[in-house]
Structures are given as C-alpha cells and as structure tokens.
Amino acid sequence: MTAVETANLLRTVISNSRWSNAKNLLQTIKEITQRLIQAQPVEFAVGNIARRIMRLIREEYKGITVVAKNTDGQGLNGHSLTLSSPSPSNPPNTLEQVNEADTLDTIPEFDFAEGAPIPAGTAGSRISVMSTTSDSSMYNLLAQPEAEIDYSRQLFSLKQSIIQAVNELIEELDSVGNNISSQALDYIHSNEVILTVGKSKTVEQFLKYANRKRPFQVIVLESSPTGTGREMASSLAKAGIETILVNDASVFAVMSRVNKVIVGCHAVTANGGIISRTGTRIAAACAKHYAIPVCVVTGMYKVTPIFPENHADFNLLSSPDFVVPYSDGSLVDRNIEVINPQFDYVPSSLISILVTNQGASPPSYVYRLLGELYDAEDYHNEI
C-alpha cells in the first residue's frame, strides 16, 4: 500500500535525518514529499500521508510546549502535587478530584521518569492532583495562528513523541480494511443485488464480510479494457457469493435490477467527488437515473484537499494497445488517435455516502474531514 510505504519512509526520515527543531523537520518532509509527488503526481496518498504527519509534528510540538510552560515551578503540567498516606477510607494509587471543574479527561499524563521524580518516602501514598492553572493555555496555543507559532525551539523529547504518533498512524493504516468491512452489515441486506465496477480490495473485503451472515447477489462490470472485473468476479465466486460478470456496455440494462452500487476509489477530492477507475462515472450516472444509492468505501487516507479543477491533470493514459492492438495495422496506418484513460472523475452529485474507516459521511461533509485531518497551510498540491 502506497500510504503505508510513505509513512514508513517518513518515519525513517524523522528517525535518521539530522534536524534540531520542528521547523527544520517540517521543511525536510516538505522537500522529500515534493520529490515523491513529482515522480507520481496522481498518487494522492503520498501527499495525504505527508500532510497527516506534518499535522502530527505540530500537535506534538504544541503539546510539549504547553507542558514545558506549565511545569515551571508548578508540578505536573500546571497541577500541584498533594501527598497523603493511604487508609481504608483513602485508598492508594487513585486520583482525587479536588476541583469539580477538573475531570480526569483534562488531567494530562505525566512521565515521572522524565519529569519531576516522586519525593523519597512517599511510596504507597496517594497522589492528589489539584489544578492550579487554567487549561486555557493549551486552548490559547491551539487557537494561535500558525504564522505566530515559533517551531524553532529545541525540545528534548520531541523526536520520541513524533515517532510514537507516526507508529499509531501506521497501525491505523494497517487496520483500514478491517474497520471498513466491519460496517458492511449496515449497508448490505439479505437478497439484495449489488453492482460494483472492476476490482477493489476494499470492496472485495467489504462484500466478503457481509456474505458471512447475509446472502446477496453481486453484478460485476468487467472494467474494460483491463478486465480487472474478471478477477473480482472469480474471487467473489470462490467465496460463495452469487456473482454475475457483465460487460461495461450493459450497465444501463442491468441497473434496473440493482438495489445499490458499491465502489472503491483512488481519491476523494475536496468538493466531495471521487477519482475512481474508468467506468465508475457511467455506473453512477445510471444509478442516478434509477434513484439507486451509490456507496463509496474508502480509507480516510484517500481524502485529499485538492480540487479537481481540470480533470485531465489527475488522470493517466494507458497504452492504446489494450484497445487497438498494434498488430492491427489497417487501423494504425490511418493515424487514429486512441485514448485509454485509467480514471474517471465522479462528481459529488452522483454519490450518496462515503463509508470510511472512521464511519460514514455524506459527500458534503468532506470539508469537515479535511479540517480534522490536515492543517490549512498544507492544502496546496506541492505542500
């Protein structure tokens, strides 16, 4: 998976490259990501993962900065320590909520090995955490404009925190397929007819998971000229799913029998549309004609802040030999131009719902997803 390999590469850069502060690290990641994007402009996952990691770097920096400011003579992240001996009515190793305004969720974790040590002679004592400063310091830093934040400070534990955050991101990417397929029973019901286009690992896993408990039928478009739909149909049939393989030209004829269309995608654009394999737009348009819902199953790492202003800029042209073989000299000699695009752009108006590893969202909600995934200054294509 391109996303996992990109995350592994950038984790190696963070771990092995020489950088002294977050500002230098962000610049290094930007330069490397620009080279990767120039090599594969339509691999949107590369830029998306880089944006996620740059956001993680900023978040870890802000968190450590707040802790450093609040621990100046005030104990645990701006909280004071109160030690008392254990008793039957005062059990050990518990957090006492002294201030009703503070909850356990607002008390940050503290590593005694790296921070202030527990005073001698207090083993088995209870540690009561009392807030002595307001949590507004974290809010103020997060609300502060990025241009006003100084990322040039050297923080001792920053590298370790960033690597741990990237490891969590890689774990999330590894579990994307399972998290999406676990929602299959919410969208596929017994005896339904599902239509899909070509072969998608995510859609395949999604359908096989639903087949464990519910019988249904799948119509697979062969996705000419590559014919990846044949592989998809064969795989589903081996899993015990009733499968019908049809050519792309028959999509309108069979659509009246379909209950819903489930497809994967290459990327989700900022306006809620998708970039998917050739033939998906025709299937979605036919589904719109018959008022059939179109469900797109995809990972969050495919959500990109790029607007498809010119669809041709986000496409690849395959060899025309798949459509018109070079051996057919009678056509080649006539100077016929054959275009064989790999992707279709499907506008948000043809999509009913996006099912991601973090739940389902309508296409109009993509702008909120972008705000949760990336920082605004990383939105442009070259990062």
Side-chain angles (χ1 to χ4, degrees), residues 330-382:
S330 59
L331 290 177
V332 175
D333 292 341
R334 296 179 182 178
N335 296 323
I336 296 178
E337 183 179 4
V338 179
I339 299 177
N340 182 19
Q342 289 189 14
F343 301 115
D344 268 349
Y345 170 72
V346 183
S348 59
S349 59
L350 300 180
I351 301 172
S352 304
I353 194 169
L354 301 171
V355 180
T356 70
N357 53 300
Q358 296 184 8
S361 303
S364 59
Y365 195 75
V366 170
Y367 79 98
R368 291 290 301 274
L369 299 180
L370 291 173
E372 297 172 0
L373 292 173
Y374 316 121
D375 288 332
E377 59 267 32
D378 299 329
Y379 272 18
H380 53 87
N381 192 18
E382 287 79 13

Side-chain angles (χ1 to χ4, degrees), residues 249-281:
S250 303
V251 59
F252 190 82
V254 301
M255 188 61 71
S256 60
R257 299 179 51 197
V258 173
N259 297 106
K260 60 174 59 74
V261 176
I262 300 178
V263 296
C265 72
H266 183 69
V268 180
T269 57
N271 60 349
I274 65 170
I275 297 175
S276 188
R277 67 176 62 254
T278 305
T280 304
R281 179 160 185 165

Side-chain angles (χ1 to χ4, degrees), residues 143-302:
Q144 187 176 357
E146 289 293 332
E148 299 179 4
I149 299 178
D150 182 17
Y151 289 101
S152 61
R153 289 184 56 190
Q154 296 186 9
L155 301 177
F156 176 74
S157 58
L158 181 60
K159 175 180 285 190
Q160 181 179 359
S161 299
I162 294 174
I163 293 177
Q164 182 178 357
V166 175
N167 288 336
E168 294 174 357
L169 173 61
I170 294 175
E171 292 177 2
E172 175 188 334
L173 295 175
D174 290 334
S175 62
V176 164
N178 294 331
N179 292 337
I180 294 176
S181 61
S182 62
Q183 306 173 58
L185 296 178
D186 296 334
Y187 301 95
I188 298 178
H189 307 289
S190 298
N191 302 319
E192 283 191 330
V193 179
I194 310 297
L195 184 139
T196 188
V197 181
K199 180 177 176 61
S200 168
K201 292 183 179 179
T202 307
V203 174
E204 181 181 355
Q205 189 173 355
F206 193 81
L207 296 175
K208 289 182 178 179
Y209 186 93
N211 184 56
R212 297 177 182 179
K213 295 185 178 180
R214 294 174 183 171
F216 55 90
Q217 186 182 71
V218 179
I219 297 176
V220 182
L221 300 183
E222 65 175 353
S223 189
S224 180
T226 58
T228 57
R230 303 189 192 105
E231 301 177 18
M232 182 71 163
S234 176
S235 177
L236 296 178
K238 291 179 181 178
I241 302 176
E242 185 179 354
T243 308
I244 300 175
L245 178 68
V246 300
N247 58 50
D248 299 340
S250 303
V251 59
F252 190 82
V254 301
M255 188 61 71
S256 60
R257 299 179 51 197
V258 173
N259 297 106
K260 60 174 59 74
V261 176
I262 300 178
V263 296
C265 72
H266 183 69
V268 180
T269 57
N271 60 349
I274 65 170
I275 297 175
S276 188
R277 67 176 62 254
T278 305
T280 304
R281 179 160 185 165
I282 295 177
C286 293
K288 182 77 171 181
H289 176 80
Y290 285 101
I292 296 171
V294 176
C295 176
V296 179
V297 292
T298 181
M300 289 290 288
Y301 67 92
K302 292 186 179 181

Side-chain angles (χ1 to χ4, degrees), residues 22-71:
K23 182 178 181 180
N24 294 341
L25 178 59
L26 288 170
Q27 184 61 34
T28 300
I29 291 180
K30 287 181 181 180
E31 293 174 356
I32 293 176
T33 305
Q34 288 173 3
R35 295 173 61 185
L36 294 175
I37 292 177
Q38 290 174 1
Q40 289 289 344
V42 297
E43 285 293 343
F44 301 98
V46 174
N48 296 340
I49 294 301
R51 295 181 183 97
R52 288 281 300 272
I53 291 179
M54 286 191 288
R55 184 186 181 99
L56 291 176
I57 293 172
R58 296 187 181 100
E59 290 178 347
E60 295 299 323
Y61 179 88
K62 294 174 184 177
I64 296 176
T65 302
V66 170
V67 171
K69 288 182 178 180
N70 288 346
T71 52

